[in-house]
Amino acid sequence: MAVLYTEEVASRAQAWLAASYSKRRTNEYIAELHALYGLITGNSAAGCTSCNFQGYVDLLTAYVAHFQRLQHPELMAKSAYSLAPGYENETFVHESYSEALKADNLTDKGAEFFIKNGFKHAFLKNGKPIEDEAPAEPKKLTPKQQAVADYKELFQTDPDEKLTETQLREAIDTKKKELDQVD
């Protein structure tokens, strides 16, 4: 399910997060936490609130942060890439990359690193999913390059560089005739 970012939910979440620790643990604030969780995720807040409390708080924090990014895109790093729905609040870390990558510090360089390292599904390029690149067309060889390749395959060695295409073809034809006579 896609998350719907609204001013009302963001304001309520900000107000809840601004409350003191002791206030957050009151029945009134727990009920509001559950209501916000339901509005954001579309699911009810099930299970032990004490066990899941920090996860709920993290969800509100991430929701508010992403809402701010949507409201003020000029504050975000310029990039052709963005995070795909469901990954807006994720942090990407890799031992070969010097910093943690998040939506608010996303750069082309960072996105390309993580795409190459198996996270293509988590990014969009210019708002669209990143498709697998079609295999590159095989490079067309010149007639001489093709003759050299054929020679290497047949003789299992490199030909003399001074040989012309015609001379290579003659050597190939001669060798093929020899091989045909042996069979």
Side-chain angles (χ1 to χ4, degrees):
M1 176 184 145
V3 176
L4 181 62
Y5 291 92
T6 67
E7 181 90 36
E8 177 199 349
V9 174
S11 294
R12 287 173 59 186
Q14 283 175 315
W16 193 95
L17 291 167
S20 68
Y21 178 80
S22 59
K23 219 176 199 183
R24 289 180 180 183
R25 295 292 183 163
T26 65
N27 288 339
E28 176 187 354
Y29 273 76
I30 298 279
E32 176 67 355
L33 179 63
H34 287 192
L36 287 167
Y37 180 86
L39 288 170
I40 294 169
T41 66
N43 299 317
S44 66
C48 172
T49 300
S50 294
C51 300
N52 299 324
F53 188 81
Q54 190 58 49
Y56 296 156
V57 172
D58 291 345
L59 178 80
L60 294 186
T61 303
Y63 182 90
V64 169
H66 191 64
F67 178 78
Q68 292 299 327
R69 287 190 292 267
L70 291 172
Q71 291 298 311
H72 304 286
E74 69 279 2
L75 300 177
M76 294 177 62
K78 298 293 183 216
S79 176
Y81 295 93
S82 59
L83 293 173
Y87 293 93
E88 304 94 343
N89 303 317
E90 296 298 322
T91 301
F92 296 87
V93 180
H94 193 280
E95 61 193 26
S96 298
Y97 196 73
S98 62
E99 65 181 304
L101 185 71
K102 299 178 183 181
D104 54 356
N105 69 343
L106 179 65
T107 62
D108 289 345
K109 178 184 172 190
E112 288 165 359
F113 174 86
F114 283 97
I115 289 166
K116 287 178 187 170
N117 284 281
F119 293 93
K120 176 180 70 173
H121 59 282
F123 294 90
L124 302 175
K125 184 168 185 178
N126 297 320
K128 297 179 182 167
I130 299 167
E131 301 294 327
D132 288 327
E133 292 183 14
E137 288 290 321
K139 183 180 170 188
K140 296 287 184 190
L141 299 177
T142 66
K144 180 166 183 183
Q145 289 171 327
Q146 186 61 55
V148 168
D150 293 344
Y151 185 97
K152 284 181 180 181
E153 183 180 339
L154 186 62
F155 289 91
Q156 299 296 310
T157 185
D158 289 332
D160 185 337
E161 293 178 13
K162 295 177 187 171
L163 294 176
T164 65
E165 176 199 351
T166 304
Q167 291 169 323
L168 290 168
R169 290 280 168 218
E170 287 172 359
I172 292 168
D173 290 342
T174 303
K175 181 71 171 182
K176 284 183 178 179
K177 286 178 186 173
E178 288 174 12
L179 292 172
D180 286 343
Q181 289 177 357
V182 172
D183 291 337

